[in-house]
């Protein structure tokens, strides 16, 4: 009897650990594409708007990079999203920002890049309102 109970307990533990480990939505995201995209846009706008001499700038950049990675990891393989205008525009903006953070971590964002990102964020919001 003990043998069966120990096997059952082991099986239950494997299933629980497997289910917890296979969760594909990072803790920073809800799993709702529209809500996650709007939240990420607002978060990135805040990080971009911080003055260069702000003590929170480094933490905001690190947080933005983490959110970009979580967003990309969660939604890049969803075929229903890859054709949406909001998704492709968002990916373009995220790639630009992540590329700058990776290549020039100590330099401020150029004004030209800030304007382009804001334009793309507005396009994403408009596309989400249309449902595209």
């Amino acid at each position: 009897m003990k043998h069966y109970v120990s096997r059952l307990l082991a099986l239950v533990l494997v299933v629980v650990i497997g289910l917890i480990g296979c969760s594909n939505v990072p803790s920073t995201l809800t799993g709702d594409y529209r809500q996650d995209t709007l939240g990420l846009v607002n978060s990135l706008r805040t990080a971009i708007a911080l003055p260069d001499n702000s003590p929170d700038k480094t933490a905001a950049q690190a947080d933005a990079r983490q959110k970009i990675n979580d967003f990309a990891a969660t939604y890049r393989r969803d075929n229903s999203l890859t054709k949406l205008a909001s998704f492709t525009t968002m990916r373009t903006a995220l790639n630009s920002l992540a590329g700058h953070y990776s290549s020039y971590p100590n330099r401020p964002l150029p004004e030209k890049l800030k304007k382009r990102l804001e334009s793309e964020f507005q396009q994403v919001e408009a596309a989400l309102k249309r449902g595209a």
Side-chain angles (χ1 to χ4, degrees), residues 57-76:
K57 186 74 169 180
T58 305
Q61 283 182 351
D63 185 50
R65 290 178 79 171
Q66 181 62 45
K67 288 181 179 181
I68 289 170
N69 290 338
D70 290 348
F71 184 87
T74 301
Y75 294 113
R76 72 172 168 229

Side-chain angles (χ1 to χ4, degrees), residues 26-41:
S27 62
T28 60
L29 301 175
T30 64
D32 176 16
Y33 168 72
R34 186 178 187 287
Q35 182 180 356
D36 290 342
T37 303
L38 291 174
L40 181 59
V41 165

Side-chain angles (χ1 to χ4, degrees), residues 40-52 54 56-70 90 92-111 113-114 116-118 121:
L40 181 59
V41 165
N42 290 332
S43 176
L44 294 177
R45 277 185 175 143
T46 302
I48 291 169
L50 284 174
D52 296 329
S54 173
D56 299 332
K57 186 74 169 180
T58 305
Q61 283 182 351
D63 185 50
R65 290 178 79 171
Q66 181 62 45
K67 288 181 179 181
I68 289 170
N69 290 338
D70 290 348
M90 188 65 176
T92 301
L94 296 180
N95 288 340
S96 300
L97 187 58
H100 178 81
Y101 284 160
S102 294
S103 299
Y104 311 107
N106 297 326
R107 292 187 187 171
L109 281 173
E111 202 58 39
L113 179 58
K114 285 182 182 180
R116 186 175 132 218
L117 289 171
E118 182 56 36
F121 291 157

